[in-house]
Amino acid sequence: MAERSISAKETVRDQPNASQFLLNVSNLRLYFKTTKGVVQAVDNVSFSLGRRRSLAVLGESGCGKTSLARAILRLLPRNIHTFSGEIVLDGVDLMKLDEERFRREIRWRKLSFVPQAAMNALNPVLRVGYQVAEPLIVHFGLDRDEAFKRAEEVARVVGLPVDFLNRYAFELSGGMRQRAIIAMALITRPELIILDEPTSALDVLTQANIMNSLKKIKQEFDVTYILITHDIATSSELADEVLVMYAGQLVEHSPAARFYKTPAHPYAQKLMASVPTLREDKTLEFIPGQPPSLINPPKGCRFAQRCPYRFERCAEDPPAFSLDGGGVARCWLLAR
Amino acid sequence: MMGFWAVFAELRRHPSAMVGLVIIFLLLVMSIYAVIRIPYSEAVRLWRAGEVVWLENPRNAAPKWYNWFGAGLPETIKIETAAAERTEERVGESTKRVTYRLAFDFPYKRFPQELALFFTSTYTTVPPQLVLSWRTPDGREIPLGTRTVRGVERYVLSGDSTLLRRLGRAPEESLFSDPKNPEQALSGRYELVMDVYTFEPGASLSAKFIVYGRVYGWAGTDHLRRDLSIGLLWGAPIAVAFGFTAAVGIALIQFILSGIGAWFGGALDILIDRLTELRMILPLLPILILVGMLWSRSIWVILATLLMYGSIGGYKTYRAMFLQAREAPYIEAAKAYGAGNFRIVFRYLLPRLIPVLIPSFVLAIPDYVFLEASLAVLGIGDPILPTWGKIINDAYSMGAHFKGLYYWLLEPAALLMITGLGFAMIGFTLDRIFNPRLRSL
Amino acid sequence: MLENLKRLFSYFSVRSFLLLFTVVVAIYLIIIIANMGGYMDKIKESEIMEQVYNTVRGNPALQRLSPSELRAILDKQIEIAKRQAGLDKPFITRSLEYLIRGITLNFGRAEQMTSDSGSNQVRLILLERLPHTLLLWGTADLLVFFVSVFFALALSRRYGSFIDRLSVSLAPLSTPPVWFYGILLILLFASFLRLLPYGGFVDAPPPSTTLAYVLSVIKHMILPVLSVFIALIFSSLYSWRTFFLIYSSEDYVEMAKAKGLSSRAIERRYILRPTLPPIVTSFAMMMISLWMGGIVTETVFAWPGLGRLLYDAIQHVDTPVIVGSNVIYGYLLAITVLLLDFLYAALDPRVRLGGARRS
């Protein structure tokens, strides 16, 4: 097992024993104010995530998975309408921390973030190496030389040639930049790393390379991923558990092994049916229609309109039903 | 791309833009009024004519509305012999004496600025003579001397040094001063008594007596007695026309040339870079001065030079936009379905670019207005046109700021400022509306 | 580090060279314009005439002749001299010589004006006035730059607040040029309130002690610098606050926040630093228009700089000085462009590393 946190500056935990779950999200709501109305981006989502159980969050664009990530990371825009619930990370309720405590104790110490490769997440006028080393300087007070040494170590881990650290972002290709960002996210050995579509803007070859690096990191370091993606195929490489979101709600959360073979929720089933497989000959399906608007979501099950198994009960919002083999899904079909 | 009415509706939400629109509207009304009321040739004639046209105006008079603030400045009073009390008497064989009593009320405490008599006499060989005397409201009589009048003459009493020596004080003051309060004027009814002696039958003399006030019109007068309101009024259409034409001209030229450049690309790129640099180095104002000194100061030449200057640079913004727009997928799509180049350019490219063009175009207009004013202030302005800059130039070189003639400087300055503000307010608001990166904030 | 400096140096040299080329073209254009009015020829001619007069007058053998004979000899000599000097050659060749003159600021003698030291060499007159212009506008530029960057950054933090909306709505106040506010300030502070001088460089007679002299100059600088400040501050605040706002919404700024950097650090390294290059460019444009606007402003304030010189030259119709002023302004602008280009390169690695070394 690789090293854990670097310095002795541990945070005070709310509970004396570390809970068995790394992350406990309860009744998370995130609504935005827009000129057209209130967008219910994340509507009453609850789930728990164990340590070293990496989670893939799947769903179409606009289903709220990115908003979920931003809620946990507290990277929120100005137009918030509602932001409530509980997010307990390693025993600490993040929602109860003020901004300054959150910044000092949580950001990049317990929790880090790998954005989409398409984003220009690197400062164009600072050297890449500096940006990778920066969290160590800021959070742990390391001096530059020490921090740069660590940056070199972590660069090797992610497969980034060390002399690239001396360069600027524009000198690196997309794949290299993403590696640098992963290195940056890893350098403080956080417990949870949230990755938002980390490979979707890259070509297939680079995608595969980076997925391999991520797998290696997962095996060698004591880190838990939350991987947000719409690419079901690549998610299967890293996920231990899968969470499916639809129209701002959680519709299924189950162990990966079971999910990829037999998803429980009709929407999840449709999703899996739309993925081409190498060895079978299957007709690809698509789901007709569009997800409902998040401004005035319909009452009852939000997928009912597009669901082939729709029946009268679906007019009522389904609760989460436990599944055999672990996990939950919100569908009345499971009530029987 | 927003439609015209959508833009207008958007503008309505910003109060500063609405104020700007009101200002521009008023400016246009003023311009149209100026052009209709005093046609161009008339305005030029009036403005460049020397004192002859303006002789009956006071010099450097303040605007009439100064008196609303209790300045108590006298207005100009004109009395003519034709309207005055007249008595005739035969004195000798062919000598006739006609006595005119030019009476007027002077209700002011401040002294008039100047006193002048304009005579017209008709005679064959012997010119008429006259004896002048002055009657104050408190009954004093002051003799003013005699004169012989030949033809059309102007007698400026206040400039008569003999009279000054005799009275011991400037005539316009001593004739009006209150004995009890010598620094103030005595208000009341005054009389200028003219005894006109004619020595021939048929000879006659008519006169106009002008007591020059210290206020005139709604704008005052300048050192050449010109009514400033004409200059100020006409400054509006000139300023707007110049600014607008320059802005449109330069924008068009740059637009077209950068479109051509973007179309051909390649080596033209380097040329454009160097040209833009050249334009940055060429000092615009000194060159305009050079042209004005060595060639011609006419406003058309200045405009032409400005257009030439503007056409050699400033492509970068438009070029970047053109290139971007050219690669846009819908352009490719249009080409794919067989749209001709012309159609692509006009229906697809141009509308994309107009929203970015318009704010900078509107904001450029006041810059050119002030450029023309700068040239005028330096003395290189168009010599015949009445522009606001020229008025400021006159005022400044005549030391208006030393002499406390604030209105002379402030009126054209205020008009320039308001014009500039009007366009700028609209322009800045348009920039806020059209700037795509700002909209997402 | 050394690698960096070397690269910066080579960038600088390339830029200077290109700029020099452009400067030469600019001066050439100025010369052509001047000579369209026949002026460069006239300068040459008057030099020739002066030379010939001096030679003839200095020749004792010719003293005895009658005026008309003297005149005939003079004219003949002038003709010969002119032909020797090539004044009858085509324009292209003449213009090249004038170009060299232009570049070296050799414009002969002023027609009526003299420098303070008594010389009427145009070059000396120009160079004498240069420091005053640099002092005034240099100070004003720096003041406006630092104050507006500081406040624009503060404003961008308070987007949508009252003070932000107020300063945005005041932006149009920057439309009038500097001299306009100059006149208003003079009316207010010099004419009406009698607090500050109407203009000029220093009190007349100038104070004897150095300290008093410096203070007097500063007193005379207050109104001009204030006019520059008022004229430029609103639009600078608006543009740079807009820049900062746009650049604060960049993804890397959000990453910096996610990384847990303090707002101070984010502002300095992630907002200010990347925005400086475009700010420097926009500042360059501002400085250029300031040099131009300075002409009328110096006139209004009777500040003894190049601008005032140009105005005086117009009044006296002293054309060599006018042409010379054009050239020196060209140089001034070129140096401004060069300095700011250099600053831009130092701040933006994308420029000085010239094109990505993609890996």
Side-chain angles (χ1 to χ4, degrees):
Chain A
M1 246 177 47
E3 317 174 295
R4 262 207 139 273
S5 303
I6 294 177
S7 97
K9 284 193 209 160
E10 295 281 31
T11 59
V12 173
R13 307 211 170 151
D14 280 356
Q15 294 159 13
N17 317 316
S19 78
Q20 62 167 150
F21 291 112
L22 173 62
L23 181 66
N24 250 309
V25 174
S26 322
N27 308 106
L28 182 62
R29 283 191 167 81
L30 179 57
Y31 298 172
F32 300 119
K33 275 189 276 204
T34 67
T35 47
K36 299 203 177 77
V38 177
V39 174
Q40 301 180 9
V42 177
D43 199 4
N44 206 359
V45 169
S46 309
F47 67 94
S48 299
L49 189 61
R51 282 178 205 287
R52 279 172 248 122
R53 296 281 291 169
S54 289
L55 178 69
V57 179
L58 300 177
E60 298 170 73
S61 344
C63 68
K65 52 192 202 293
T66 306
S67 302
L68 176 62
R70 288 170 166 272
I72 301 175
L73 289 164
R74 217 191 270 196
L75 285 178
L76 305 166
R78 288 177 220 262
N79 54 336
I80 302 280
H81 180 271
T82 307
F83 182 37
S84 63
E86 274 181 16
I87 307 178
V88 181
L89 175 65
D90 205 9
V92 178
D93 184 357
L94 302 182
M95 298 291 279
K96 294 213 172 64
L97 297 177
D98 64 30
E99 188 56 44
E100 184 59 21
R101 271 190 81 187
F102 191 79
R103 178 183 81 77
R104 271 191 309 199
E105 295 170 20
I106 306 295
R107 287 202 199 277
W108 236 255
R109 295 190 62 171
K110 300 208 154 277
L111 184 58
S112 75
F113 176 49
V114 175
Q116 264 192 346
M119 294 165 76
N120 58 334
L122 290 172
N123 188 327
V125 297
L126 298 177
R127 288 182 202 279
V128 170
Y130 176 78
Q131 295 181 58
V132 172
E134 200 176 19
L136 290 180
I137 303 175
V138 169
H139 285 292
F140 296 106
L142 258 58
D143 64 45
R144 284 180 83 119
D145 295 321
E146 185 63 31
F148 270 72
K149 260 202 280 182
R150 304 261 181 202
E152 286 176 11
E153 284 170 22
V154 80
R156 275 185 223 110
V157 170
V158 303
L160 179 72
V162 166
D163 51 280
F164 280 21
L165 290 178
N166 248 334
R167 303 205 179 163
Y168 291 94
F170 71 93
E171 297 179 87
L172 268 54
S173 67
M176 284 303 156
R177 258 184 274 172
Q178 195 64 342
R179 289 182 194 278
I181 293 174
I182 295 173
M184 192 161 77
L186 198 53
I187 199 166
T188 51
R189 304 288 192 273
E191 298 181 33
L192 181 63
I193 300 185
I194 300 184
L195 303 101
D196 188 354
E197 312 270 15
T199 55
S200 45
L202 302 169
D203 62 270
V204 189
L205 211 55
T206 322
Q207 252 182 36
N209 278 327
I210 290 198
M211 278 321 236
N212 281 333
S213 301
L214 286 173
K215 262 198 288 193
K216 191 173 83 166
I217 295 169
K218 182 179 173 217
Q219 284 157 9
E220 291 181 17
F221 294 84
D222 189 14
V223 76
T224 309
Y225 291 141
I226 295 184
L227 176 69
I228 309 212
T229 183
H230 60 267
D231 185 346
I232 302 166
T234 47
S235 68
S236 59
E237 308 228 18
L238 290 176
D240 298 309
E241 298 181 13
V242 176
L243 190 153
V244 181
M245 286 195 66
Y246 184 80
Q249 288 179 326
L250 179 158
V251 294
E252 179 165 348
H253 177 196
S254 30
R258 224 217 59 204
F259 179 85
Y260 288 108
K261 285 220 210 68
T262 44
H265 193 279
Y267 174 63
Q269 289 167 1
K270 289 281 181 192
L271 273 185
M272 287 307 291
S274 69
V275 177
T277 45
L278 203 53
R279 291 185 194 93
E280 288 169 39
D281 195 13
K282 90 183 192 193
T283 30
L284 292 180
E285 293 180 40
F286 70 98
I287 316 175
Q290 279 185 356
S293 154
L294 292 174
I295 292 184
N296 261 321
K299 304 257 183 311
C301 175
R302 294 187 187 174
F303 184 59
Q305 246 190 344
R306 300 162 85 189
C307 182
Y309 308 117
R310 165 176 73 236
F311 63 110
E312 324 80 51
R313 201 81 200 275
C314 303
E316 208 183 304
D317 206 14
F321 292 100
S322 298
L323 302 167
D324 314 318
V328 296
R330 299 178 65 187
C331 181
W332 287 115
L333 292 173
L334 300 166
R336 311 208 181 122
Chain B
M1 143 85 180
M2 291 169 96
F4 179 71
W5 290 115
V7 174
F8 196 66
E10 188 67 32
L11 275 180
R12 294 236 320 250
R13 299 192 344 184
H14 297 256
S16 57
M18 294 316 288
V19 173
L21 280 174
V22 168
I23 292 179
I24 302 301
F25 178 69
L26 287 176
L27 212 59
L28 286 175
V29 166
M30 196 169 147
S31 308
I32 295 176
Y33 177 72
V35 174
I36 293 181
R37 197 64 175 12
I38 315 166
Y40 177 71
S41 46
E42 174 74 9
V44 168
R45 183 189 78 85
L46 282 178
W47 198 253
R48 72 191 309 190
E51 296 207 13
V52 180
V53 170
W54 299 105
L55 226 36
E56 297 191 8
N57 284 352
R59 199 192 295 267
N60 284 332
K64 269 210 192 110
W65 41 264
Y66 261 40
N67 277 339
W68 296 354
F69 300 97
L73 297 169
E75 290 190 27
T76 304
I77 302 171
K78 306 183 191 181
I79 329 103
E80 297 188 52
T81 49
E85 195 190 309
R86 178 186 199 272
T87 42
E88 217 179 286
E89 201 183 308
R90 190 154 288 269
V91 173
E93 248 208 48
S94 38
T95 314
K96 202 168 65 170
R97 182 179 70 200
V98 179
T99 307
Y100 292 103
R101 307 184 90 82
L102 298 161
F104 61 96
D105 283 308
F106 190 78
Y108 307 105
K109 289 257 180 303
R110 297 277 305 269
F111 297 118
Q113 197 183 61
E114 241 185 321
L115 301 169
L117 269 170
F118 292 80
F119 299 112
T120 317
S121 73
T122 46
Y123 60 95
T124 341
T125 34
V126 186
Q129 283 189 349
L130 57 91
V131 179
L132 291 168
S133 66
W134 186 256
R135 212 145 275 162
T136 63
D138 55 354
R140 286 170 294 138
E141 203 173 312
I142 306 172
L144 295 176
T146 59
R147 284 187 84 79
T148 315
V149 179
R150 299 179 178 81
V152 176
E153 267 188 27
R154 177 171 82 122
Y155 169 42
V156 182
L157 287 90
S158 35
D160 187 350
S161 40
T162 335
L163 194 55
L164 181 136
R165 244 176 297 135
R166 184 138 57 78
L167 294 172
R169 193 180 168 184
E172 67 270 15
E173 290 183 16
S174 61
L175 290 178
F176 284 90
S177 84
D178 183 348
K180 296 195 210 93
N181 235 330
E183 291 309 310
Q184 271 188 16
L186 180 65
S187 41
R189 197 163 176 81
Y190 287 81
E191 258 184 17
L192 175 69
V193 184
M194 284 172 50
D195 292 313
V196 180
Y197 293 92
T198 49
F199 307 105
E200 294 164 349
S204 67
L205 176 87
S206 63
K208 188 194 287 192
F209 180 47
I210 302 190
V211 180
Y212 288 93
R214 291 172 185 272
V215 289
Y216 184 85
W218 63 267
T221 64
D222 68 1
H223 61 303
L224 295 176
R225 304 176 188 264
R226 294 183 290 201
D227 183 358
L228 284 176
S229 60
I230 295 192
L232 292 175
L233 211 58
W234 256 95
I238 294 176
V240 172
F242 184 81
F244 192 79
T245 315
V248 167
I250 293 187
L252 264 180
I253 293 178
Q254 288 188 347
F255 195 69
I256 295 175
L257 287 182
S258 57
I260 296 179
W263 202 253
F264 288 106
L268 217 60
D269 227 24
I270 305 178
L271 183 65
I272 285 177
D273 272 353
R274 298 275 72 75
L275 276 181
T276 310
E277 203 172 64
L278 183 66
R279 190 171 92 125
M280 273 172 87
I281 296 182
L282 278 178
L284 176 62
L285 199 54
I287 287 187
L288 285 176
I289 292 176
L290 196 62
V291 168
M293 292 296 292
L294 298 180
W295 288 56
S296 149
R297 300 217 241 141
S298 143
I299 206 165
W300 297 108
V301 172
I302 302 295
L303 194 57
T305 317
L306 202 57
L307 286 177
M308 283 195 280
Y309 179 85
S311 61
I312 64 171
Y315 301 135
K316 285 247 153 120
T317 20
Y318 297 145
R319 211 181 106 247
M321 289 189 304
F322 268 120
L323 287 177
Q324 219 180 24
R326 193 174 66 161
E327 307 304 326
Y330 63 81
I331 300 283
E332 265 188 65
K335 277 198 242 170
Y337 78 72
N341 283 339
F342 211 58
R343 184 182 170 81
I344 294 183
V345 167
F346 275 89
R347 264 210 91 207
Y348 298 114
L349 276 184
L350 284 188
R352 281 294 293 303
L353 268 27
I354 288 180
V356 189
L357 244 186
I358 294 196
S360 52
F361 160 74
V362 172
L363 284 174
I365 295 181
D367 285 343
Y368 295 121
V369 170
F370 276 109
L371 181 64
E372 187 273 321
S374 302
L375 284 175
V377 170
L378 284 177
I380 309 273
D382 194 306
I384 49 168
L385 285 180
T387 63
W388 294 330
K390 189 85 179 60
I391 297 179
I392 294 183
N393 175 256
D394 286 339
Y396 211 77
S397 46
M398 288 290 135
H401 48 304
F402 294 125
K403 297 181 190 161
L405 298 172
Y406 300 126
Y407 64 92
W408 201 359
L409 277 174
L410 287 177
E411 281 164 3
L415 283 171
L416 271 172
M417 178 78 154
I418 293 176
T419 307
L421 279 181
F423 283 107
M425 287 198 265
I426 300 179
F428 272 102
T429 314
L430 282 176
D431 187 52
R432 293 218 292 283
I433 296 177
F434 284 125
N435 190 334
R437 302 194 72 170
L438 276 183
R439 307 197 80 203
S440 57
L441 280 178
Chain C
M1 192 58 201
L2 193 61
E3 175 76 24
N4 223 18
L5 276 176
K6 269 200 294 184
R7 204 161 281 127
L8 207 59
F9 182 69
S10 67
Y11 177 78
F12 187 51
S13 334
V14 168
R15 287 296 289 128
S16 314
F17 181 70
L18 285 175
L19 204 65
L20 197 65
F21 176 69
T22 317
V23 170
V24 168
V25 173
I27 296 182
Y28 193 61
L29 272 176
I30 294 176
I31 300 293
I32 292 186
I33 296 178
N35 214 37
M36 293 292 216
Y39 232 81
M40 294 307 285
D41 287 336
K42 283 217 193 96
I43 295 178
K44 195 92 187 279
E45 275 178 28
S46 51
E47 271 184 8
I48 293 177
M49 297 215 294
E50 195 179 324
Q51 262 184 337
V52 171
Y53 280 147
N54 286 338
T55 353
V56 167
R57 216 171 294 139
N59 188 341
L62 301 173
Q63 296 299 2
R64 307 284 183 69
L65 297 175
S66 68
S68 52
E69 286 178 327
L70 208 57
R71 166 108 273 149
I73 294 196
L74 274 172
D75 286 342
K76 188 130 172 287
Q77 292 285 36
I78 291 177
E79 268 310 306
I80 298 176
K82 273 197 205 172
R83 216 170 308 139
Q84 272 187 334
L87 271 177
D88 56 342
K89 289 224 196 79
F91 179 64
I92 300 293
T93 31
R94 290 201 329 262
S95 66
L96 283 176
E97 190 210 322
Y98 296 154
L99 179 62
I100 310 285
R101 279 172 172 263
I103 295 178
T104 54
L105 281 183
N106 177 3
F107 289 102
R109 298 188 185 285
E111 288 179 7
Q112 299 194 23
M113 304 171 68
T114 54
S115 69
D116 283 348
S117 50
S119 150
N120 59 359
Q121 281 261 20
V122 173
R123 182 196 290 148
L124 285 179
I125 298 178
L126 290 174
L127 289 178
E128 192 181 59
R129 298 296 193 98
L130 183 62
H132 299 100
T133 299
L134 287 178
L135 173 66
L136 189 58
W137 303 121
T139 315
D141 284 337
L142 289 174
L143 187 71
V144 169
F145 182 74
F146 285 110
V147 169
S148 44
V149 169
F150 178 73
F151 278 108
L153 203 52
L155 274 183
S156 70
R157 262 183 262 140
R158 295 169 178 67
Y159 178 64
S161 69
F162 173 69
I163 186 109
D164 179 55
R165 278 180 293 137
L166 181 68
S167 34
V168 165
S169 59
L170 288 179
L173 283 181
S174 281
T175 328
V178 179
W179 57 262
F180 185 85
Y181 284 109
I183 293 183
L184 292 182
L185 285 178
I186 288 181
L187 280 181
L188 179 61
F189 285 102
S191 189
F192 193 63
L193 291 177
R194 298 187 193 284
L195 275 179
L196 289 168
Y198 278 96
F201 183 67
V202 77
D203 292 327
S208 41
T209 63
T210 325
L211 181 64
Y213 190 85
V214 169
L215 283 177
S216 172
V217 173
I218 292 180
K219 188 169 68 157
H220 282 84
M221 276 174 64
I222 293 181
L223 282 186
V225 171
L226 196 58
S227 340
V228 171
F229 192 78
I230 299 180
L232 292 183
I233 193 74
F234 297 108
S235 71
S236 315
L237 274 182
Y238 175 74
S239 337
W240 296 349
R241 154 240 183 235
T242 307
F243 272 152
F244 284 131
L245 277 178
I246 292 178
Y247 279 73
S248 331
S249 58
E250 289 285 343
D251 298 328
Y252 51 81
V253 173
E254 193 176 56
M255 273 309 277
K257 181 169 181 210
K259 274 165 46 171
L261 269 64
S262 66
S263 1
R264 248 288 114 105
I266 296 180
E267 216 168 62
R268 236 182 327 122
R269 284 200 289 267
Y270 287 80
I271 298 182
L272 185 59
R273 264 301 264 107
T275 320
L276 275 181
I279 285 185
V280 162
T281 312
S282 139
F283 185 64
M285 303 309 300
M286 199 176 283
M287 273 193 78
I288 289 180
S289 68
L290 203 60
W291 292 126
M292 295 297 95
I295 294 178
V296 188
T297 317
E298 283 187 15
T299 307
V300 163
F301 282 103
W303 182 268
L306 289 173
R308 176 80 192 187
L309 181 68
L310 195 49
Y311 175 71
D312 290 336
I314 295 171
Q315 302 305 99
H316 294 130
V317 196
D318 201 330
T319 316
V321 177
I322 296 182
V323 181
S325 302
N326 267 276
V327 175
I328 210 173
Y329 266 110
Y331 273 125
L332 210 56
L333 292 182
I335 293 177
T336 307
V337 169
L338 188 66
L339 274 177
L340 286 158
D341 246 356
F342 183 64
L343 207 60
Y344 190 100
L347 288 172
D348 189 341
R350 286 170 285 201
V351 172
R352 69 172 182 266
L353 293 176
R357 292 177 286 153
R358 280 316 181 93
S359 356

